[in-house]
Amino acid sequence: MQTEIKELLQKVSDGEVSVEEALLQIKMQPFEDIGYAKVDLHRKNRQGAAEVIYGAGKTVPQMLGIIESLTKHGQKTVLITRLSKEAAMEMQGSICMSYFEEARVGLVGEMPTPTG
């Protein structure tokens, strides 16, 4: 994500892209509309914490689609909250995910290393 923005800014600096065109591209990049969800791809840059999936009320295919969108755009760890045991078991047939039943939380990818 940062590489794409850096390349875009270099193109503005080189005169290949106008400021207005670059602004439009940056405005369009933060989200991916996948029909049933608008996935926030820039949340980590803005808030310091990546997008989280609220699992209650979502189908397994919807959650898998959101996970695919996030990982496709470089998010290495995806947290799913309010995840039922049944949904977690169904998802584990499609992806590698850790499930913490008491917390009702799913984790795709590795637990991030604490930084502070």
Side-chain angles (χ1 to χ4, degrees):
M1 184 68 61
Q2 289 180 341
T3 303
E4 292 172 12
I5 293 174
K6 188 174 181 178
E7 288 173 5
L8 180 60
L9 292 173
Q10 187 62 53
K11 288 180 180 180
V12 170
S13 178
D14 294 343
E16 297 174 31
V17 175
S18 72
V19 171
E20 292 76 21
E21 289 174 78
L23 183 58
L24 180 61
Q25 285 185 37
I26 290 170
K27 283 183 181 179
M28 293 174 71
Q29 282 182 353
F31 301 97
E32 179 176 23
D33 189 346
I34 56 175
Y36 49 85
K38 202 172 210 182
V39 183
D40 186 348
L41 305 171
H42 280 195
R43 188 176 191 284
K44 186 171 184 175
N45 293 339
R46 288 191 325 274
Q47 304 292 327
E51 179 79 309
V52 172
I53 299 172
Y54 179 72
K58 288 187 181 64
T59 66
V60 168
Q62 287 173 333
M63 288 185 278
L64 291 172
I66 295 167
I67 291 166
E68 180 182 348
S69 173
L70 291 169
T71 56
K72 173 176 76 176
H73 288 93
Q75 189 166 321
K76 296 190 183 337
T77 305
V78 179
L79 180 68
I80 309 153
T81 64
R82 298 302 252 337
L83 182 62
S84 71
K85 182 178 181 178
E86 296 76 25
M89 290 175 66
E90 188 177 336
M91 291 172 70
Q92 286 175 331
S94 300
I95 60 169
C96 183
M97 178 184 75
S98 300
Y99 180 64
F100 304 91
E101 187 174 356
E102 189 172 314
R104 294 180 54 205
V105 168
L107 185 68
V108 177
E110 293 185 24
M111 183 71 78
T113 306
T115 58

